[in-house]
Amino acid sequence: YWSYDFLSKSPIGKERWITDKLRYGYDDILSSSEVISLVSDKYKCYCEFKEYYKRDALGCYTNEDYTDFVEFVKKHPSFIYKPLCAFSGKGIKKITLSENLIQDFFNASIRTGSFIVEEIIEQHKDFEYIHPQSINTIRVTTFTLNNRVEILATSLRMGVGNSIADNAGNGGIFSSIDPQSGIIVCPASNYIGGKYIKHPDTNVVIPGIKIPSWDELKSTIKEVASKLNNKYNEATLISWDFAYSTKGWIIVEVNTGGGWRILQAPQKEPLKEQLYKLIDEWTNYNEKR
C-alpha cells in the first residue's frame, strides 16, 4: 500500500501492479522446479555461474565441510557470511577470523544451518562513492524464452548507514534506471514510502547518476540469461544482482522473480501488463511445441 500508493487508487488502478501476493505464482509458472532449486541455493548458483562471480566462495552444508572452510579462511581471513537460503539480506555479516577462532565460528554457524562464505568484493571507485559502506548493486529482471532475452526493468540498490548490504528488506533504498541509457531517472525510495533525492549518508544526488559501463552490463546479463535458458530449455523469469567491482561487472546474487517493489515503486511504473504479454507469448510457444 505504501510503495504503490494504493490508498489513493481504485480497484482497477490496483490491478495494474505486480504485488508480492502474485509474484511467487509467476515464479512457479515461468521457471521450472530445476531453475527454482538452482537459484534458491546460493552456492549451487555460484558453481553454475562461477565465471561471472569472479571471486572465491564456499558452501558449507555439514561438519564434513570444515577442512575446506579452514583452507578458505586461511586464504581470506576477512569474508562475507550468508545463510544459504536466506533472503532480503537477512543474516549477512562481514567476518574476520584469526586461526584460533575458526573452529568455534564454524561449529556455531553450522548448527544454525547451511551457509556460504564469499571473498569480499572490492567495489570500483566509480561506483562506491554512492555509499562506500555497502556493495551497491544493479537489479536487472529478465524474461527469457527461446534464447531471446527481454529486460523488464532495472534498478539501483544502495545501502544506508553502516549496513554492508543494499537490500531493501534490510533498510536499503532503490531507484529506477533507464534501461537504454543507464541513467537514474527518479529519486530513491524505501519500503515504507520514504523519498530521497540525495543519499541520506553521502549526500550524492541520485537522479542523473550514470551507471558506468552500462552496455557491458546489459551484454553480460543477456549472455548469462541465455546460458540458463539453453541449459533448461524453459522460459525463465530471473532477477540478477550485479556489482561494479575492480574486476568489472560481477554477479552478487541470483533470484527468481525478485522483489517487484524495487522495480515498480520508485518511478511508479506498473509492469503487470508487460509481464502478462510475455506470459501469453510463453503459453503460445508451449502450445506449439
Side-chain angles (χ1 to χ4, degrees), residues 90-271:
K90 300 296 188 292
I92 296 178
K93 303 173 185 176
K94 183 178 178 181
I95 304 292
T96 299
L97 290 180
S98 56
E99 279 196 44
N100 62 314
L101 295 176
I102 292 176
Q103 186 166 11
D104 286 345
F105 177 87
F106 179 87
N107 291 340
S109 298
I110 206 69
R111 278 197 295 268
T112 66
S114 54
F115 61 91
I116 184 173
V117 288
E118 300 179 8
E119 178 183 351
I120 293 173
I121 296 170
E122 187 178 348
Q123 197 164 209
H124 196 287
K125 60 181 177 61
D126 290 342
F127 212 49
E128 71 171 357
Y129 74 95
I130 301 170
H131 184 250
Q133 289 85 350
S134 64
I135 299 298
N136 309 300
T137 64
I138 305 298
R139 163 69 56 86
V140 180
T141 298
T142 60
F143 178 92
T144 309
L145 177 64
N146 199 21
N147 209 34
R148 192 188 85 242
V149 181
E150 295 278 349
I151 294 178
L152 278 91
T154 55
S155 295
L156 169 64
R157 307 192 310 164
M158 301 155 276
V160 171
N162 291 321
S163 175
I164 63 169
D166 63 350
N167 304 72
N170 203 29
I173 59 176
F174 45 92
S175 188
S176 300
I177 305 170
D178 172 48
Q180 297 304 315
S181 65
I183 294 175
I184 306 298
V185 295
C186 60
S189 303
N190 63 14
Y191 271 177
I192 56 175
K195 295 292 180 186
Y196 304 90
I197 293 177
K198 294 182 178 181
H199 192 285
D201 299 310
T202 61
N203 286 322
V204 171
V205 176
I206 295 168
I209 290 175
K210 176 75 168 70
I211 306 301
S213 302
W214 182 246
D215 288 340
E216 178 187 335
L217 174 60
K218 288 199 297 182
S219 176
T220 302
I221 290 286
K222 290 183 177 181
E223 182 180 305
V224 71
S226 291
K227 286 192 174 186
L228 185 66
N229 185 243
N230 287 337
K231 178 168 183 176
Y232 294 99
N233 195 28
E234 294 282 348
T236 53
L237 180 67
I238 299 291
S239 285
W240 311 88
D241 293 335
F242 271 75
Y244 192 50
S245 75
T246 53
K247 299 176 182 178
W249 286 109
I250 60 174
I251 291 179
V252 175
E253 198 166 285
V254 184
N255 301 280
T256 46
W260 288 88
R261 279 184 285 175
I262 294 171
L263 302 169
Q264 298 176 113
Q267 203 176 356
K268 300 295 186 230
E269 186 72 31
L271 294 169

